[in-house]
Amino acid sequence: MKFQISIFLALVLNFCHIDTSSSFVPTSSTSTSSINSISINISSSSIQVQVQTASSSSILRMKKRDNVNVNVNVNVNMNTDPILSAREARLNIPISTLVSSLLLTTATATVTTASPAYAKQSSPKFEQSIKQYFPGSIPTTTVILRVQSTLRKRQYLPYNTHMATSLPREEILFTPISLISQLRNKLSEAKDGGVYALGGLGGIPFAGLAGMGDFLSHSPKDGKVLILFGPHVGIDKFGSLGKVERIGSEEYGADEVSGVVVRAYFDIMNGKSGMSSVSTSGTTGSGMNLEEEYVVGLLKKMPLKEWKAEGGDDYAIAKLTTEFYKIIQEMVVKQVEGYIAKQGSGFWDRVTEVTMLGGIVVNRGHGSGTEGGDDYFQPLAMKSLVKGGIEVNLYGEVFGDLSTPRKF
């Protein structure tokens, strides 16, 4: 964050008289290049700002004007993160906004802002695996800030944004801090802005053309549509793929993420059918597991043994996850374009834009003994279709600085 300290303090100064005993006076040339932190302590009678650098600590003391009634303690961590620095102007709340909101507060509060990408660092083995197998992945908090910034400029507003997913069904993808939950909270109306579920096991859009049509037909007037799609994979604190630690199940250790797919992979590698529902006679019998049959069928068409021989189970799981992404992408795009073609020009009377955001969600452990924090997302596609079927590629604007193997 490269901004002037004078800007940071401007609003504070409007409410205060500077104490001449202060050891720090901001100048127009003061920047954050060597600053570790800034602490603001606002009491009933005065305001004290402490600037901490690597070698010294300076204090600016001010007496508060009579008409200000606040009692706030604020600590702002100025350390930046390389992932965010490329788009810091768009990804971070302006500090002046933060200060002004605090000066209008009448309650006691403590606010700490750190890089949203790394509020708590991951284990080294987690970091190593995600960089090796899913390059260019970034924390979900960063994804949300980037996507929201771009879509807001394209007039995605709470009253007209309509959302769907083609993600796997596991609960780990739908927690309050998950990618889709936070996107929903940022982009749509909280009271009725739900999310249509197109995906099933493995993230495959089993709702089909009928489900896609049903979803798109619910769009509000002048609707802006967002579809998030892709598979997911877990990485535990030891860097192993296909599993994570879950809260409340620490005594059992890490367990599978995208469990049906991962268990089927290991079953197939051990010479079994891959189906959890196979009867003693060797048949699926009940017909109650159509999605599982489809997913297992996809796995059996993949060179699983070759992948394992090339790099082990982790490599094979990473490869099959990427293959599932390609399958989901192709199906989602075909379903969207197929429904638009079926409706003809009348489709655009209600909908003004359809944005498809695709990638791989990487879940991390949140149980005891893990670092916790954001899941990650490897963005692989972001494009919009606008009236007339015109395609606008948004990937470069939003994710162009990342080292991902982008698809479109």
Side-chain angles (χ1 to χ4, degrees):
M1 283 183 276
K2 299 287 187 182
F3 58 85
Q4 309 290 347
I5 293 298
S6 55
I7 295 175
F8 179 81
L9 297 175
L11 289 173
V12 179
L13 296 175
N14 285 335
F15 292 90
C16 308
H17 299 289
I18 297 178
D19 188 332
T20 55
S21 65
S22 298
S23 61
F24 171 77
V25 177
T27 67
S28 60
S29 62
T30 307
S31 74
T32 65
S33 59
S34 61
I35 295 175
N36 292 334
S37 66
I38 296 177
S39 295
I40 306 174
N41 296 292
I42 307 176
S43 66
S44 59
S45 61
S46 66
I47 297 178
Q48 177 176 294
V49 180
Q50 181 173 359
V51 179
Q52 182 72 48
T53 67
S55 59
S56 65
S57 178
S58 301
I59 296 176
L60 172 64
R61 297 184 185 89
M62 294 163 281
K63 294 180 180 179
K64 195 167 55 178
R65 298 185 189 277
D66 294 338
N67 61 346
V68 180
N69 181 27
V70 292
N71 182 17
V72 183
N73 177 274
V74 185
N75 292 295
V76 182
N77 188 331
M78 304 298 293
N79 293 324
T80 59
D81 186 277
I83 288 181
L84 292 179
S85 61
R87 298 182 181 273
E88 59 190 5
R90 292 169 45 201
L91 303 186
N92 293 281
I93 299 172
I95 199 68
S96 59
T97 302
L98 173 63
V99 174
S100 63
S101 66
L102 290 170
L103 291 174
L104 297 175
T105 303
T106 58
T108 299
T110 299
V111 180
T112 300
T113 65
S115 162
Y118 291 103
K120 193 170 185 181
Q121 291 290 338
S122 308
S123 70
K125 291 182 179 179
F126 175 91
E127 294 286 349
Q128 181 180 349
S129 289
I130 200 168
K131 290 176 181 177
Q132 178 179 354
Y133 297 115
F134 303 100
S137 296
I138 54 177
T140 54
T141 303
T142 307
V143 176
I144 291 161
L145 291 169
R146 292 187 179 207
V147 171
Q148 181 188 17
S149 175
T150 293
L151 294 186
R152 279 284 185 261
K153 291 187 294 185
R154 301 184 69 82
Q155 299 303 303
Y156 275 72
L157 303 171
Y159 62 83
N160 71 352
T161 299
H162 189 44
M163 300 177 65
T165 65
S166 187
L167 297 170
R169 290 181 172 157
E170 287 193 40
E171 76 287 344
I172 198 171
L173 290 168
F174 300 95
T175 67
I177 62 170
S178 66
L179 177 58
I180 186 58
S181 295
Q182 292 192 69
L183 277 174
R184 174 190 177 277
N185 292 338
K186 295 291 186 182
L187 294 175
S188 66
E189 288 283 7
K191 60 183 179 180
D192 60 5
V195 179
Y196 196 108
L198 299 165
L201 295 180
I204 302 295
F206 285 110
L209 188 58
M212 182 66 74
D214 187 45
F215 159 66
L216 292 172
S217 71
H218 299 166
S219 173
K221 179 178 174 59
D222 299 323
K224 298 282 188 176
V225 173
L226 174 63
I227 303 173
L228 172 66
F229 66 88
H232 74 141
V233 65
I235 300 179
D236 69 12
K237 63 183 178 181
F238 301 110
S240 298
L241 269 64
K243 53 187 179 181
V244 295
E245 301 82 3
R246 299 175 191 263
I247 295 174
S249 61
E250 293 86 354
E251 64 182 286
Y252 306 110
D255 60 8
E256 293 93 348
V257 169
S258 196
V260 172
V261 176
V262 171
R263 284 191 293 271
Y265 160 75
F266 283 111
D267 277 353
I268 293 170
M269 295 306 296
N270 290 326
K272 300 178 181 179
S273 69
M275 291 288 295
S276 63
S277 56
V278 174
S279 67
T280 54
S281 64
T283 63
T284 56
S286 66
M288 297 294 287
N289 294 282
L290 299 178
E291 291 188 15
E292 183 185 24
E293 291 176 14
Y294 186 87
V295 167
V296 171
L298 292 175
L299 284 171
K300 288 183 175 179
K301 295 177 182 178
M302 299 178 188
L304 301 180
K305 292 182 179 180
E306 288 84 348
W307 288 339
K308 181 175 181 178
E310 184 175 349
D313 287 326
D314 286 347
Y315 178 78
I317 291 173
K319 291 291 289 185
L320 70 86
T321 302
T322 301
E323 288 303 306
F324 267 81
Y325 169 78
K326 295 175 183 177
I327 293 167
I328 296 166
Q329 172 194 296
E330 182 179 1
M331 295 178 73
V332 167
V333 172
K334 282 185 176 180
Q335 289 173 10
V336 170
E337 294 179 346
Y339 181 77
I340 293 175
K342 181 180 179 181
Q343 296 300 306
S345 59
F347 174 81
W348 299 106
D349 294 339
R350 185 166 183 167
V351 177
T352 60
E353 185 169 349
V354 179
T355 297
M356 291 171 275
L357 171 61
I360 296 171
V361 178
V362 182
N363 299 118
R364 67 195 304 180
H366 289 85
S368 176
T370 65
E371 296 295 335
D374 281 354
D375 289 329
Y376 278 62
F377 183 69
Q378 184 189 41
L380 297 173
M382 188 171 180
K383 73 173 183 179
S384 290
L385 299 176
V386 297
K387 191 170 184 177
I390 299 172
E391 182 177 310
V392 181
N393 195 330
L394 300 176
Y395 191 93
E397 175 184 348
V398 184
F399 302 115
D401 60 310
L402 303 177
S403 59
T404 62
R406 59 173 293 185
K407 302 304 174 187
F408 67 76

